[in-house]
Amino acid sequence: MGASALFSIGTKAMSASYAALATTGHNISNANVKGYSRQQVELATSVGQYSGGGYIGKGVDVTTVTRAHDAFLTREAATSRSLAAMDATRLQMLRQLETVFPTGEQGVGYAAGEFLNAMVDLSARPGDAATRQVVLARAGEVATRFAAAGAQLDVLQQQVGEDLRASVAQINQLAGSIAELNQRIALVAGQGHSPNDLLDQRDQALSDLSQHLQLSTVQADDGSVTVFVAGGQRLVMGGQSQPLTVQVDST
């Protein structure tokens, strides 16, 4: 083996070590980045060179850089976040409804009960003027509380509509981002190596999107993903996204 061959082996070893150190530094730098997956350099022995005395080793090669990622766990985590976000929204709405319909003497039910009791008294004493006045007062109280509850429901409905429009705007932005990442991933996937950072960005975008919608994804051969919302409607396919809109129910 000549000196050039020894230098070649040493150069490959230094290149492999440099790649490993650079990847380690990349991992440390992104340790606090949301959605980042740890990366690792994969090494392989170089094919030896045949000689009269057998095959002589030619060092080490960097084959690729992989990321610590499990598709099943990522999918399950996104589903859990989607369910948690749905339950949190439902809890928030129920708490707001509790303020509209409070329990106890301040509630609509208590006022309605008092009105019905007054009507019972009136049926027993229909000619009593005082009983009639009590009925009128109880009826006015019920009407006032129903009107106040209706006004609060109108405000709540308006707020829900504004929240829906804001959520739809975020959904469309995330869907567009996923479509763009699909294009970039498909362009580099043909090189035979995994674009780890782009995949992390797409997984994070899918995770954020799952907090607004229940999703299902299907991965294509080119590395892109097709995103379906609950009900099977396509939201993202390849490099195209389908924008959502908020429509008022006329019924």
Side-chain angles (χ1 to χ4, degrees), residues 5 19 28 45 67 75-76 81 87 98 108 130-131 146 148-149 153 175-176 189 204 224 248:
I28 295 173
T45 304
R67 62 176 183 147
R75 226 173 16 250
E76 290 299 308
R81 278 189 289 269
D87 291 339
E98 284 181 347
V108 174
T131 304
F146 269 111
L153 287 176
Q204 184 59 45
S224 64
V248 179

Side-chain angles (χ1 to χ4, degrees), residues 187-202:
L187 285 175
V188 300
Q191 300 176 1
H193 297 285
S194 175
N196 298 316
D197 295 325
L198 294 178
L199 293 173
D200 283 343
Q201 293 177 29
R202 189 178 64 184

Side-chain angles (χ1 to χ4, degrees), residues 164-246:
L164 280 175
R165 283 186 285 271
S167 295
V168 166
Q170 294 180 4
I171 290 171
N172 290 335
Q173 180 182 3
L174 289 169
S177 176
I178 293 170
E180 180 185 358
L181 288 168
N182 274 343
Q183 289 181 325
R184 297 172 63 185
I185 290 171
L187 285 175
V188 300
Q191 300 176 1
H193 297 285
S194 175
N196 298 316
D197 295 325
L198 294 178
L199 293 173
D200 283 343
Q201 293 177 29
R202 189 178 64 184
D203 287 344
Q204 184 59 45
L206 288 170
S207 176
D208 294 338
L209 185 61
S210 67
Q211 298 183 29
H212 299 279
L213 296 169
Q214 288 186 339
L215 306 176
S216 60
T217 59
V218 177
Q219 187 162 349
D221 293 336
D222 62 355
S224 64
V225 294
T226 301
V227 182
F228 299 95
V229 299
Q233 183 177 355
R234 173 178 58 85
L235 182 63
V236 179
M237 176 176 285
Q240 296 181 346
S241 61
Q242 181 69 33
L244 302 181
T245 58
V246 178

Side-chain angles (χ1 to χ4, degrees), residues 98-114 141-142 145:
E98 284 181 347
T99 62
V100 176
F101 299 102
T103 58
E105 296 184 0
Q106 301 302 319
V108 174
Y110 179 83
E114 291 295 305
E141 180 66 21
V142 171
R145 294 195 182 184

Side-chain angles (χ1 to χ4, degrees), residues 3-240:
S4 60
L6 292 176
F7 280 123
S8 176
I9 293 175
T11 301
K12 285 186 175 182
M14 291 181 62
S15 297
S17 298
Y18 174 80
L21 288 173
T23 303
T24 301
H26 186 60
N27 290 333
I28 295 173
S29 301
N30 292 275
N32 296 321
V33 175
K34 186 178 181 180
Y36 177 78
S37 299
R38 180 178 56 84
Q39 299 179 10
Q40 179 178 347
V41 173
E42 300 295 336
L43 304 176
T45 304
S46 298
V47 178
Q49 181 179 2
Y50 179 75
S51 67
Y55 284 91
I56 299 177
K58 296 179 64 176
V60 63
D61 291 325
V62 176
T63 57
T64 189
V65 179
T66 59
R67 62 176 183 147
H69 172 263
D70 188 282
F72 173 77
L73 294 179
T74 301
R75 226 173 16 250
E76 290 299 308
T79 301
S80 299
R81 278 189 289 269
S82 178
L83 294 175
M86 181 177 62
D87 291 339
T89 302
R90 182 184 293 110
L91 177 61
Q92 180 184 2
M93 292 296 103
L94 290 175
R95 284 177 174 173
Q96 291 180 355
L97 286 176
E98 284 181 347
T99 62
V100 176
F101 299 102
T103 58
E105 296 184 0
Q106 301 302 319
V108 174
Y110 179 83
E114 291 295 305
F115 171 69
L116 293 177
N117 292 334
M119 291 295 294
V120 172
D121 294 338
L122 180 62
S123 65
R125 297 184 299 274
D128 189 2
T131 304
R132 293 181 180 181
Q133 291 297 324
V134 172
V135 169
L136 293 176
R138 296 289 185 250
E141 180 66 21
V142 171
T144 300
R145 294 195 182 184
F146 269 111
Q152 293 181 59
L153 287 176
D154 290 339
V155 173
L156 182 59
Q157 184 175 5
Q158 182 180 2
Q159 179 183 351
V160 169
E162 293 175 354
D163 292 342
L164 280 175
R165 283 186 285 271
S167 295
V168 166
Q170 294 180 4
I171 290 171
N172 290 335
Q173 180 182 3
L174 289 169
S177 176
I178 293 170
E180 180 185 358
L181 288 168
N182 274 343
Q183 289 181 325
R184 297 172 63 185
I185 290 171
L187 285 175
V188 300
Q191 300 176 1
H193 297 285
S194 175
N196 298 316
D197 295 325
L198 294 178
L199 293 173
D200 283 343
Q201 293 177 29
R202 189 178 64 184
D203 287 344
Q204 184 59 45
L206 288 170
S207 176
D208 294 338
L209 185 61
S210 67
Q211 298 183 29
H212 299 279
L213 296 169
Q214 288 186 339
L215 306 176
S216 60
T217 59
V218 177
Q219 187 162 349
D221 293 336
D222 62 355
S224 64
V225 294
T226 301
V227 182
F228 299 95
V229 299
Q233 183 177 355
R234 173 178 58 85
L235 182 63
V236 179
M237 176 176 285
Q240 296 181 346

